[in-house]
Structure formats: C-alpha cells, structure tokens
Amino acid sequence: MVVSITICSMSVSTIETFVTQAAIASLNTYQKHLSPRKGFSCPHRLLYGGESCSDYVKRLLINQNLLTAIQMAPQRFKACKLSAQIQSQRAEGGCIVIPCCIPI
C-alpha cells in the first residue's frame, strides 16, 4: 500500500520568498523600534565602520539566497562578539560593551 501525503501546495521557492520577506520585515521593525531604544550600538560597526549586523544580514537576504544568509549570519555575529570584547578591553573605567547579537 502506497500512501501519499501532500503537506503544502506552495513551492519551495514561494516559501523561501515568504520567509525572506518576513525576515527583512522583522529586521526593519527591529531597526526602527527596538535598536534605537536598546542603549548601545553594534560593536562591529563601531569598531570597523560600515554596516551594523542587522544591516549586514538584511543585505544578505536581499542580495543572496536565504540559505546563504543563514549560513553567513553566525560568522558575523561571532565577529561582533569579538568586537565587543576588544572594545571592552580598550574601555576605560571598566565599561562593558554588549554585542548586538546576544547570545553567541
């Protein structure tokens, strides 16, 4: 006996597009409403200049495919954590620099 189950009639491409758009919308919401209120900036951006981690991931989602963005984001978050550690070591008076990508 052969049983066939159709989970969803949506194609993988359609699902990937939906997830990508949802991720970009979430990043836009984070950048507009949460990031300005959290009290600190992306340590990677502060140390090296250029884009913040959220801008970096958003650019990946726009210019690459979803899988590439998912694979590359953790590398950036680890670099951000290292940037926070470097800045904390440089800070006078024991200031703590918090990575924007907690927890990594």
Side-chain angles (χ1 to χ4, degrees):
M1 178 168 147
V2 176
V3 177
S4 175
I5 300 173
T6 303
I7 296 175
C8 181
S9 62
M10 294 176 66
S11 71
V12 172
S13 176
T14 303
I15 293 169
E16 182 176 350
T17 299
F18 173 78
V19 171
T20 299
Q21 290 174 350
I24 292 169
S26 297
L27 286 167
N28 287 336
T29 299
Y30 164 78
Q31 290 176 325
K32 183 175 181 180
H33 299 288
L34 286 161
S35 184
R37 292 171 177 78
K38 71 181 192 247
F40 57 89
S41 296
C42 173
H44 192 279
R45 183 184 60 78
L46 292 175
L47 186 62
Y48 299 109
E51 58 195 1
S52 66
C53 289
S54 57
D55 281 328
Y56 173 79
V57 172
K58 191 164 57 170
R59 182 173 52 80
L60 285 175
L61 289 165
I62 292 168
N63 296 321
Q64 304 291 326
N65 62 42
L66 180 62
L67 183 58
T68 300
I70 290 169
Q71 291 172 337
M72 293 180 72
Q75 295 169 6
R76 174 58 180 254
F77 297 153
K78 288 176 186 174
C80 186
K81 180 179 178 180
L82 181 59
S83 299
Q85 291 168 345
I86 291 168
Q87 290 175 2
S88 289
Q89 291 170 355
R90 291 180 182 173
E92 294 181 29
C95 295
I96 298 172
V97 179
I98 302 169
C100 62
C101 318
I102 298 174
I104 291 292

